[in-house]
């Protein structure tokens, strides 16, 4: 299953969610590929500290004959850069932002990533795509190839602003209003009762598309990100690790 983590709003935790889901799936025995489509490369820094200047996702998008297997790296973690079983990554770097203009002029530009992933998708149980915080040609490539769109939202006052526009963008790319998506509630702080009630009321129309797992606000998640590790490695007994384990299980059940 190809799953894109997508929201045009920044600050909703896309890269944190992408890296922790990818690690959780690999830890559960699922062969997983993480594709970093964000020029900020936050996912790449976690699992691929020595990013090649050449062998990144940019090459795939600029060159249809580039061998996709040449850009897949074994994911590593920790100071010792120990290999993570079942987890692989196609990394990104800042040069991807410069390449966007070149990609935009290509014919069938929305299919560039899809055509590469078709060659290897049978080698993996899950392909997770971390998207940039905007709807551009990179995001369009992710939407086109995805089986499921996962939309993270937080418990802020304006967390759902723009979601109608996002749905319209997905519909335009998929050329159908019948696409699979799930909404993930992230950074829930139990102390903010009024804010939580407000956001849950706003999400009520999407009840059938809400993941049951809610990621609680937890300092271990932030600390893990700063240490370039998934929270399940950094603090396996934390609420954050517990929540991402539950989320992983839910995604596996959905994938079946």
């Amino acid at each position: 299953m190809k799953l894109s983590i997508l929201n045009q709003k920044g600050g909703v935790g896309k890269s944190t969610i992408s890296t922790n889901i990818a690690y959780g799936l690999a830890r559960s025995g699922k062969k997983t590929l993480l594709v970093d489509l964000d020029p900020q490369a936050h996912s790449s820094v976690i699992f691929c500290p020595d990013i090649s200047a050449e062998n990144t996702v940019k090459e795939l998008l600029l060159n249809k004959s580039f061998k996709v297997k040449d850009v897949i790296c074994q994911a590593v973690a920790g100071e010792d850069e120990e290999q993570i079983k079942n987890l692989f990554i196609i990394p990104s770097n800042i040069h991807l932002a410069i390449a966007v203009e070149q990609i935009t002029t290509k014919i069938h530009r929305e299919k560039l990533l899809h055509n590469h992933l078709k060659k290897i998708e049978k080698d993996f149980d899950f392909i997770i795509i971390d998207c940039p915080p905007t709807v551009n040609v990179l995001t369009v490539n992710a939407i086109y190839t995805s089986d499921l769109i996962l939309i993270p939202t937080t418990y802020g006052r304006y967390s759902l602003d723009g979601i109608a526009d996002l749905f319209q963008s997905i519909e335009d790319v998929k050329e159908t209003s019948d696409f699979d998506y799930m909404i993930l509630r992230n950074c829930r702080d139990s102390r903010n009762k009024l804010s939580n009630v407000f956001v849950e009321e706003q999400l009520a129309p999407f009840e059938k598309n809400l993941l049951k797992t809610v990621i609680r606000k937890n300092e271990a998640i932030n600390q893990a990100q700063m240490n370039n590790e998934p929270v399940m490695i950094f603090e396996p007994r934390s609420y954050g690790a517990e929540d991402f384990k539950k989320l992983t299980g839910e995604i596996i059940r959905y994938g079946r």
Side-chain angles (χ1 to χ4, degrees):
M1 186 173 77
K2 290 177 285 185
L3 186 158
S4 285
I5 317 293
L6 170 62
N7 193 325
Q8 59 195 353
K9 286 180 67 64
V12 295
K14 287 185 295 295
S15 292
T16 299
I17 291 165
S18 299
T19 52
N20 280 284
I21 286 176
Y23 178 78
L25 289 168
R27 185 174 176 271
S28 299
K30 303 297 182 183
K31 193 173 180 184
T32 303
L33 175 66
L34 175 60
V35 181
D36 192 349
L37 266 191
D38 189 345
Q40 296 179 82
H42 291 160
S43 291
S44 300
V45 170
I46 299 288
F47 293 127
C48 187
D50 299 317
I51 303 171
S52 165
E54 291 81 26
N55 293 342
T56 69
V57 71
K58 172 174 70 75
E59 274 61 52
L60 297 184
L61 298 174
L62 290 178
N63 184 354
K64 65 180 181 180
S65 61
F66 201 92
K67 293 181 179 178
V68 62
K69 291 186 177 181
D70 287 346
V71 299
I72 298 176
C73 307
Q74 175 85 48
V76 300
E79 293 182 2
D80 298 332
E81 296 188 10
E82 184 177 345
Q83 290 189 353
I84 302 172
K85 186 179 179 181
N86 294 320
L87 185 55
F88 300 83
I89 181 169
I90 295 179
S92 175
N93 60 28
I94 193 63
H95 299 300
L96 179 59
I98 302 169
V100 167
E101 289 185 17
Q102 295 171 263
I103 298 166
T104 303
T105 62
K106 288 183 173 289
I107 299 172
H108 302 306
R109 53 191 172 271
E110 75 282 0
K111 301 179 182 178
L112 295 171
L113 181 63
H114 178 73
N115 289 337
H116 282 291
L117 293 183
K118 274 197 305 185
K119 301 169 187 174
I120 57 161
E121 60 186 23
K122 291 183 180 179
D123 297 334
F124 296 94
D125 298 306
F126 287 89
I127 297 177
I128 308 298
I129 305 172
D130 183 14
C131 298
T134 181
V135 176
N136 61 12
V137 68
L138 301 176
T139 318
V140 166
N141 267 266
I143 293 170
Y144 184 88
T145 197
S146 292
D147 304 307
L148 174 67
I149 308 290
L150 193 155
I151 304 170
T153 185
T154 60
Y155 281 80
R157 171 66 178 83
Y158 303 105
S159 59
L160 297 178
D161 281 6
I163 199 165
D165 291 337
L166 181 59
F167 285 155
Q168 186 60 57
S169 298
I170 297 170
E171 185 175 328
D172 290 345
V173 175
K174 293 287 193 185
E175 296 184 342
T176 176
S177 58
D178 185 22
F179 54 85
D180 288 333
Y181 74 93
M182 297 299 288
I183 296 174
L184 172 63
R185 292 160 287 181
N186 189 31
C187 291
R188 187 181 190 276
D189 190 335
S190 59
R191 296 170 296 180
N192 300 335
K193 294 182 180 179
L194 291 177
S195 299
N196 295 343
V197 169
F198 173 81
V199 171
E200 294 292 350
E201 288 175 349
Q202 299 299 304
L203 287 169
F206 308 103
E207 183 179 3
K208 291 181 180 178
N209 298 92
L210 283 179
L211 286 161
K212 291 182 173 61
T213 306
V214 177
I215 306 298
R216 290 168 285 184
K217 189 173 184 179
N218 181 238
E219 184 58 24
I221 295 174
N222 297 330
Q223 292 293 327
Q225 197 74 3
M226 286 188 277
N227 280 273
N228 293 332
E229 289 182 337
V231 69
M232 280 180 263
I233 292 179
F234 178 78
E235 186 53 76
R237 296 184 179 180
S238 65
Y239 288 144
E242 181 183 324
D243 291 344
F244 274 109
K245 286 175 188 173
K246 289 180 181 177
L247 177 60
T248 300
E250 191 171 355
I251 288 171
I252 290 172
R253 290 192 296 275
Y254 191 95
R256 288 173 184 158

